[in-house]
Amino acid sequence: MTDVHATPDIAERSGTFALGGDLPVHRLGFGAMRIVGEGVWGPPRDRDEALAVLRRAVELGITFIDTADSYGPQISEQLIRDALRPYPDDLVIGTKAGFARTGPGRWHVLGRPEYLKQQVELSLRSLGLERIDLLQLHRIDPGVPLADQLGALVELREEGKIRHIGLSEVTIDELSAARAITPVASVQNQYAPSFRQSEDVLEQCEKDGTAFLPWAPVGRGELAGPESPLAAVAAEHGVTPVQLSLAWLLHRSPVMLPIPGTSRVAHLEENTAAAAVRLSEEETERIDQLLGA
């Protein structure tokens, strides 16, 4: 049985990755989408709990937090500022721009250069930062030339307002096209033990030394709970199905930086404790067989 108690700095046991080649972070991070209201809109139901989650994440050794201007909008970034500023020296915050929001659950891709620049300025203010360590293009806008979208971010990087540029939900061809314009520090695509459509992108990230941030890292809920196809293996290992899924991701690739999110401290502690889980090759093969991978 694995010791999976959430102890101080346990995230360190997930290993370290140099984001952009110069920003070392613990590989198990935190995704801050769920700390806002329902439909990723408006303030959280329990603001005190949301702030407690962020502070506890740092106590557990998490050094990378992923957010976006569209979460709230702006509210996730503001909560991070209110909970953690002045920021620990080793904390890296990545945010995203490229969506416009018109209501709960409503997302509209918007990649016009002037909009991206405006949103980065708002993120700097919301987070209370002079420079954003990682700014990811939340989606490529098909109605705007990619060179114009990334060009806006490159200009902001040259102005010292962005340190590294990343992408979100891209194909292998889009990644290649982007890398012809600017270095890409990270790719954030949907990926989980039960959802591996971005396998080719992950493999390219491995070759390039690019961080791969899997969103929905435990699927759409199908891997959690007693009905999970991983429940039996998890029980044998003395962990939960969610912890087993996160451990699988960490085992899958050294460039993998899972960013599970939650609005509850107890759930955060459960997720982060997965950093201590170790899997053998036989166990990972068994998980693959159970999921039909």
Side-chain angles (χ1 to χ4, degrees):
M1 182 174 294
T2 305
D3 178 9
V4 292
H5 297 294
T7 56
D9 296 322
I10 194 171
E12 183 178 358
R13 298 178 66 178
S14 65
T16 301
F17 181 86
L19 188 61
D22 61 2
L23 289 175
V25 296
H26 296 148
R27 289 177 56 213
L28 187 59
F30 176 72
M33 183 179 76
R34 295 186 179 183
I35 61 173
V36 300
E38 187 174 352
V40 200
W41 184 265
R45 182 175 300 177
D46 188 336
R47 174 181 168 83
D48 289 342
E49 181 77 359
L51 296 174
V53 165
L54 291 163
R55 292 170 181 145
R56 184 60 174 150
V58 171
E59 292 173 356
L60 294 173
I62 287 174
T63 56
F64 177 66
I65 295 178
D66 171 82
T67 186
D69 69 322
S70 54
Y71 299 165
Q74 271 79 54
I75 292 174
S76 175
E77 295 177 331
Q78 292 165 3
L79 288 167
I80 292 169
R81 177 198 64 205
D82 292 347
L84 300 175
R85 195 168 181 261
Y87 297 113
D89 291 340
D90 61 350
L91 182 64
V92 174
I93 299 172
T95 192
K96 299 181 285 292
F99 269 126
R101 301 295 309 281
T102 56
R106 297 179 181 176
W107 306 76
H108 310 278
V109 177
L110 185 54
R112 293 199 302 269
E114 64 273 18
Y115 179 75
L116 295 175
K117 290 183 176 182
Q118 167 190 287
Q119 295 308 107
V120 170
E121 294 289 352
L122 288 174
S123 289
L124 287 166
R125 184 186 309 171
S126 295
L127 288 165
L129 291 171
E130 294 183 359
R131 181 178 64 181
I132 295 169
D133 282 331
L134 176 65
L135 193 290
Q136 300 174 99
L137 182 61
H138 211 157
R139 290 293 187 276
I140 293 176
D141 186 341
V144 178
L146 179 60
D148 292 350
Q149 296 174 71
L150 291 179
L153 302 185
V154 169
E155 289 180 19
L156 290 168
R157 186 179 62 204
E158 292 172 348
E159 294 171 8
K161 295 177 180 179
I162 292 173
R163 184 165 183 168
H164 294 297
I165 294 170
L167 303 170
S168 180
E169 207 53 35
V170 293
T171 65
I172 194 74
D173 289 340
E174 289 169 335
L175 174 58
S176 177
R179 291 180 67 243
I181 299 169
T182 181
V184 175
S186 67
V187 171
Q188 185 168 337
N189 278 15
Q190 184 177 1
Y191 190 90
S194 57
F195 187 93
R196 308 186 196 179
Q197 277 82 336
S198 288
E199 199 73 40
D200 58 341
V201 178
L202 171 59
E203 291 174 358
Q204 187 62 50
C205 286
E206 289 179 339
K207 294 176 183 177
D208 298 335
T210 300
F212 186 93
L213 283 57
W215 64 269
V218 293
R220 298 289 188 175
E222 71 275 5
L223 297 182
E227 302 302 320
S228 168
L230 303 181
V233 178
E236 293 172 8
H237 217 286
V239 300
T240 68
V242 168
Q243 289 170 331
L244 188 69
S245 298
L246 293 172
W248 182 92
L249 289 167
L250 290 168
H251 181 90
R252 168 63 185 83
S253 171
V255 305
M256 188 86 74
L257 275 62
I259 45 170
T262 181
S263 60
R264 296 186 295 112
V265 170
H267 194 191
L268 167 73
E269 292 177 342
E270 175 187 327
N271 289 343
T272 311
V277 178
R278 297 292 179 265
L279 300 177
S280 66
E281 291 299 330
E282 291 77 15
E283 287 170 321
T284 57
E285 290 174 5
R286 184 179 175 193
I287 290 170
D288 290 344
Q289 292 172 357
L290 286 170
L291 298 175

